[in-house]
Amino acid sequence: MYRKTQLDNGIRVVTEEVGSFHTVALGLHVGVGSRFESEAEAGYSHFLEHMLFKGTPTRSASRIAREIESVGGILNAYTAKEYTSYYCKVLYENFETAVDLLTDIFLNSTFDPEELEREREVIKEEVRMVDDTPDDLVVDLFYRDLFPGHPLGRPILGTFDTLDALTRDSLVAYRDRHYRPHNVVISAAGRVDHDRLVETIARVFDGVHGAATHPLDAPPPIDRKASLHHKPTEQVHICLGTQCFAYGDPRRIPLLVLNTELGGGMGSRLFQEVREKRGLAYTVGSHASGYLDAGLFEIFLGTAKKNVADAVNVCLDELEKLVRHPLTEQQLREAKSQLKGALLMSLESSDARMGRLARNELYLGRAQSIMDLIEQVDAVTQDDMDAVARQVFNPERMVLTMLGDGDGIRVPDSFAVRT
């Protein structure tokens, strides 16, 4: 059962009670991520996420880790483009421990200077790790190519320059500016008592007030282009895609169905054509992501540099087929069934439910149950699919990003490569 309460100070508490679960997942989510950083603040949201685990007046960093693990729980966090999440998953009898721990690190972290200096080096190692992981690095480069000069195009981790320039005072000021009650969603799913959680949150956050504003700067329009980023690798790692629909745009549902047919699994067109029939890649697929006022569609794969042009051409051919030749009734049925199966399987996890609650509240301001989403999937028609395919799979708006040893790479003639 879904319930929502907004406290007087603006904090939203959303829960989904599932009495048959033995676990409960609790998340504290803040509507700020790398998109809302200035260029000089790049990486602040992620750095702040790390620092909240480094101690409070009553808990050291090591105690924070031990306390949740000693009851068999999980404590973690992540930073996204437009929000940051801190979450616990515990057996339901340990729920009070999870609430106390999450609210303590959120409200009372000390930002110890020595811990900050250590964490600066840890995050630099994380940046180096991404730089040494081509299939991660190419995604950051693709975002930069797809959203040029826009905050959505900047890496979440920041850069060595912005990390070196960060100070304790600047990070605390950033926290104080953005970590305000009106910007906070607390979500819980599993065996949870909504009223008890609301009562606890209201007491803990009593006297905490304030709002944060995040003006949206629309991403610039894009045209067909390609870029080659040089790095000595065995494969050329490739992202091919375009901008598309925001998280709340109804056209995103037909796109998700289309994406399932195109690159959603072993039976998808890309997997069959690129890997099974031609042996051009080991991993190939596609996905669609939505943000507050923008989105992206992406095909990803890695291949030998002698095969780059062939692999990209096959991907472009598959996109053109979806534009020129509508799915048959059977193909549409099968794509819907596959997508609905994945959605229903996510119901078996309390942390997946908790995350969905938060994202829907942050992006839509309301709940959207899996069954509501399934009804929307069932309602998708071939006309919906055709319209979305023509709009998204426009070859004149495709961006091709490649990462690898540039010598001898041949790309489709239709792309002008920038190096």
Side-chain angles (χ1 to χ4, degrees):
M1 179 177 67
Y2 166 81
R3 294 183 64 186
K4 173 181 174 179
T5 299
Q6 183 159 353
L7 305 183
D8 291 341
N9 63 2
I11 290 177
R12 290 160 284 171
V13 181
V14 290
T15 65
E16 184 178 13
E17 183 180 358
V18 187
S20 60
F21 279 13
H22 293 287
T23 63
V24 58
L26 172 72
L28 197 159
H29 319 271
V30 191
V32 62
S34 59
R35 176 177 187 172
F36 302 113
E37 300 163 347
S38 69
E39 191 169 353
E41 295 170 335
Y44 273 46
S45 298
H46 176 255
F47 205 122
L48 186 54
E49 171 218 314
H50 278 235
M51 288 304 299
L52 260 63
F53 289 82
K54 296 305 168 185
T56 72
T58 58
R59 289 179 169 101
S60 65
S62 60
R63 181 183 167 186
I64 289 170
R66 289 198 310 270
E67 187 170 342
I68 200 70
E69 291 175 357
S70 68
V71 295
I74 298 168
L75 173 66
N76 212 332
Y78 64 91
T79 305
K81 295 286 186 180
E82 295 175 329
Y83 64 94
T84 307
S85 290
Y86 306 86
Y87 62 94
C88 286
K89 183 174 181 177
V90 293
L91 298 175
Y92 70 90
E93 58 262 33
N94 298 315
F95 185 56
E96 293 297 329
T97 298
V99 175
D100 183 61
L101 183 57
L102 272 186
T103 55
D104 186 32
I105 67 173
F106 184 80
L107 291 171
N108 303 314
S109 287
T110 57
F111 295 87
D112 178 83
E114 291 185 4
E115 291 283 2
L116 188 145
E117 291 307 318
R118 277 193 291 270
E119 211 57 28
R120 192 193 311 271
E121 297 308 311
V122 168
I123 294 173
K124 285 183 178 180
E125 291 304 321
E126 193 174 356
V127 173
R128 293 184 181 102
M129 182 177 68
V130 170
D131 193 54
D132 284 341
T133 311
D135 49 346
D136 288 339
L137 179 58
V138 72
V139 174
D140 277 353
L141 296 170
F142 175 67
Y143 269 82
R144 190 176 77 184
D145 291 340
L146 193 63
F147 300 107
H150 190 273
L152 280 174
R154 291 202 291 260
I156 289 172
L157 301 184
T159 67
F160 283 172
D161 287 342
T162 59
L163 292 172
D164 283 336
L166 179 149
T167 66
R168 182 186 185 278
D169 287 345
S170 66
L171 188 63
V172 171
Y174 182 84
R175 187 274 310 269
D176 292 344
R177 193 164 71 249
H178 294 288
Y179 277 41
R180 313 299 293 274
H182 277 270
N183 211 24
V184 171
V185 171
I186 293 173
S187 65
R191 194 179 294 192
V192 57
D193 184 323
H194 178 86
D195 292 330
R196 188 174 177 183
L197 177 60
V198 169
E199 180 183 351
T200 302
I201 296 301
R203 182 180 70 253
V204 172
F205 283 86
D206 184 37
V208 181
H209 300 283
T213 58
H214 296 134
L216 293 179
D217 181 14
I222 56 168
D223 296 314
R224 185 183 185 95
K225 65 180 180 182
S227 61
L228 174 59
H229 303 268
H230 293 274
K231 191 175 183 66
T233 56
E234 292 298 321
Q235 285 187 310
V236 178
H237 294 264
I238 297 169
C239 289
L240 172 69
T242 189
Q243 295 179 17
C244 58
F245 311 124
Y247 188 93
D249 193 312
R251 293 171 295 180
R252 189 164 170 262
I253 306 303
L255 178 59
L256 292 176
V257 179
L258 265 177
N259 179 69
T260 301
E261 169 70 14
L262 178 68
M266 292 174 61
S268 68
R269 297 186 182 198
L270 288 176
F271 193 93
Q272 290 298 314
E273 292 295 329
V274 174
R275 171 173 164 156
E276 298 297 283
K277 291 185 180 179
R278 294 174 174 83
L280 296 174
Y282 173 71
T283 299
V284 59
S286 63
H287 80 274
S289 298
Y291 299 106
L292 286 166
D293 62 343
L296 66 85
F297 166 80
E298 173 196 6
I299 294 172
F300 54 88
L301 65 109
T303 190
K305 60 183 177 182
K306 66 184 177 66
N307 294 327
V308 167
D310 289 341
V312 172
N313 278 327
V314 172
C315 294
L316 291 171
D317 287 346
E318 291 306 312
L319 294 178
E320 184 178 5
K321 288 177 186 176
L322 284 171
V323 173
R324 293 182 176 273
H325 306 292
L327 270 63
T328 65
E329 288 290 347
Q330 181 176 347
Q331 288 171 332
L332 180 56
R333 240 184 350 260
E334 290 175 354
K336 288 181 178 182
S337 294
Q338 183 180 344
L339 179 57
K340 289 188 294 184
L343 292 170
L344 287 169
M345 284 185 220
S346 71
L347 293 175
E348 298 180 2
S349 165
S350 58
D351 42 336
R353 287 177 182 251
M354 176 272 295
R356 277 185 51 79
L357 286 173
R359 285 190 299 276
N360 286 332
E361 183 61 36
L362 288 166
Y363 284 102
L364 306 177
R366 58 178 172 80
Q368 183 184 57
S369 72
I370 291 290
M371 299 316 296
D372 290 338
L373 192 54
I374 283 176
E375 287 180 5
Q376 294 179 47
V377 171
D378 281 332
V380 171
T381 66
Q382 286 180 313
D383 287 343
D384 296 331
M385 304 276 279
D386 294 345
V388 166
R390 287 194 300 272
Q391 184 170 357
V392 176
F393 303 154
N394 179 353
E396 298 307 314
R397 298 183 68 248
M398 283 289 158
V399 171
L400 173 64
T401 301
M402 298 165 289
L403 173 68
D405 184 350
D407 294 336
I409 293 179
R410 184 177 65 85
V411 298
D413 294 336
S414 55
F415 280 102
V417 180
R418 296 182 293 106
T419 58

